[in-house]
Amino acid sequence: MASETCSPSNKLRFLLGMVLFLLMNMTTAQLSSTFYSTTCPKALATIKSAVNSAVSNEARMGASLLRLHFHDCFVNGCDGSILLDDTANMTGEKTAVPNSNSVRGFEVIDTIKSQVESLCPGVVSCADIVAVAARDSVVALGGPSWTVLLGRRDSTTASLSAANSNIPAPTLNLSGLITAFSNKGFTAKEMVALSGSHTIGQARCTTFRTRIYNETNIDSTFATSLRANCPSTGGDNSLSPLDTTSSTSFDNAYFKNLQGQKGLLHSDQQLFSGGSTDSQVNAYSSNLGSFTTDFANAMVKMGNLSPLTGTSGQIRTNCRKTN
């Protein structure tokens, strides 16, 4: 039997199996929390300092940087494609419906990139900067931390059509939300946890006008108060906080607001409207720790969506354009 186990055919089978296993796990295996520990040891501290400065200057920027990462990852993976400006040969993602006049924080990423480039030229990717800045933003606003795996590389192209079709719209019903997140590998529970990012930040009148004028599953006093700043016509860009209680604190008030029919977006209130996710909203509302733990774990998972690694992509010198 011993000779049979070590036969050339079995050795070959074993080696082929190992190669297949490594290929299947390559993207995750190549991302590592210590990716820059020798090539750019001050990278993480530099990003954190810049994020803290930006958030202290404007608390809303923390939410904007978190959203930037989300809108990057949901479109062909976390590859920094959202940062690319339009060129004569390529229409980027910045003018997509979910991003236009909405996604922000690009200047903060530019500032971080130039600081990191002066420390370690051509080493730290824009995609990794966005991923780390999202985590540091949540921490700056009192939320949980998590270990960001690093080693993503930057895309050389972007997709307007994918941005228009893959980023969940604020008009979606619960089934549409579950599907949009399931398409990226997330469970309904993880979708609810990630939606809790709306405990910070603001939304434009155009994204919630229909809800405050036409929907019935909304607290009437809450709806009336919002109408003052969001007229039935005009004022599209007027802002209101997604979390009416504490929009600059990363807490679980968002879920408590949903219980009181005070979700700002249609898609927010869908999480607590007699459907399958009501129980998860109740759970997070009564247990801050379980929400922050689940949120942090879901953020790690989101950061691992289809990264470019190894020799794929590039390390952009300027996050707005390819090298």
Side-chain angles (χ1 to χ4, degrees), residues 80-322:
S81 59
I82 195 170
L83 306 174
L84 289 172
D85 287 337
D86 291 357
T87 67
N89 307 315
M90 185 205 71
T91 306
E93 296 164 17
K94 291 181 178 180
T95 55
V97 173
N99 296 337
S100 182
N101 296 315
S102 176
V103 165
R104 56 200 294 274
F106 298 112
E107 294 79 10
V108 177
I109 301 300
D110 289 340
T111 299
I112 294 170
K113 180 62 174 171
S114 65
Q115 291 176 0
V116 171
E117 280 298 302
S118 66
L119 284 174
C120 330
V123 173
V124 182
S125 69
C126 301
D128 275 348
I129 289 172
V130 171
V132 174
R135 188 268 315 270
D136 291 346
S137 292
V138 170
V139 172
L141 294 174
S145 188
W146 59 91
T147 301
V148 179
L149 298 177
L150 302 162
R152 298 168 195 78
R153 288 167 64 85
D154 298 321
S155 70
T156 53
T157 185
S159 174
L160 178 72
S161 60
N164 276 323
S165 61
N166 291 355
I167 297 170
T171 51
L172 288 181
N173 291 330
L174 180 59
S175 60
L177 289 167
I178 290 172
T179 299
F181 280 80
S182 169
N183 287 342
K184 300 295 177 184
F186 294 100
T187 64
K189 182 179 180 180
E190 288 169 329
M191 180 270 289
V192 174
L194 289 170
S195 297
S197 61
H198 287 181
T199 180
I200 54 174
Q202 305 196 47
R204 296 177 303 143
C205 165
T206 184
T207 62
F208 58 85
R209 179 183 284 119
T210 302
R211 171 156 166 74
I212 65 173
Y213 286 97
N214 298 342
E215 295 188 5
T216 53
N217 62 341
I218 185 169
D219 178 89
S220 57
T221 310
F222 176 60
T224 304
S225 70
L226 289 165
R227 288 175 194 153
N229 196 37
C230 181
S232 52
T233 54
D236 280 4
N237 293 322
S238 295
L239 299 170
S240 287
L242 285 156
D243 171 357
T244 185
T245 315
S246 51
S247 68
T248 59
S249 295
F250 197 97
D251 52 27
N252 62 343
Y254 167 80
F255 299 105
K256 297 176 184 180
N257 296 336
L258 296 185
Q259 290 174 316
Q261 296 200 317
K262 293 179 184 177
L264 183 64
L265 305 178
H266 173 81
S267 55
D268 288 327
Q269 198 58 56
Q270 280 291 294
L271 303 183
F272 192 84
S273 206
S276 60
T277 52
D278 283 17
S279 57
Q280 197 54 53
V281 169
N282 287 333
Y284 288 154
S285 173
S286 61
N287 191 330
L288 173 63
S290 76
F291 161 54
T292 55
T293 298
D294 289 354
F295 178 82
N297 288 333
M299 285 299 296
V300 172
K301 183 171 173 176
M302 188 176 80
N304 291 343
L305 285 174
S306 309
L308 296 171
T309 56
T311 55
S312 301
Q314 61 183 210
I315 306 297
R316 285 184 221 141
T317 305
N318 175 341
C319 292
R320 294 173 180 265
K321 58 183 190 180
T322 58

Side-chain angles (χ1 to χ4, degrees), residues 49-61:
S49 170
V51 168
N52 286 345
S53 172
V55 173
S56 124
N57 189 44
E58 183 202 15
R60 181 188 174 209
M61 186 54 72

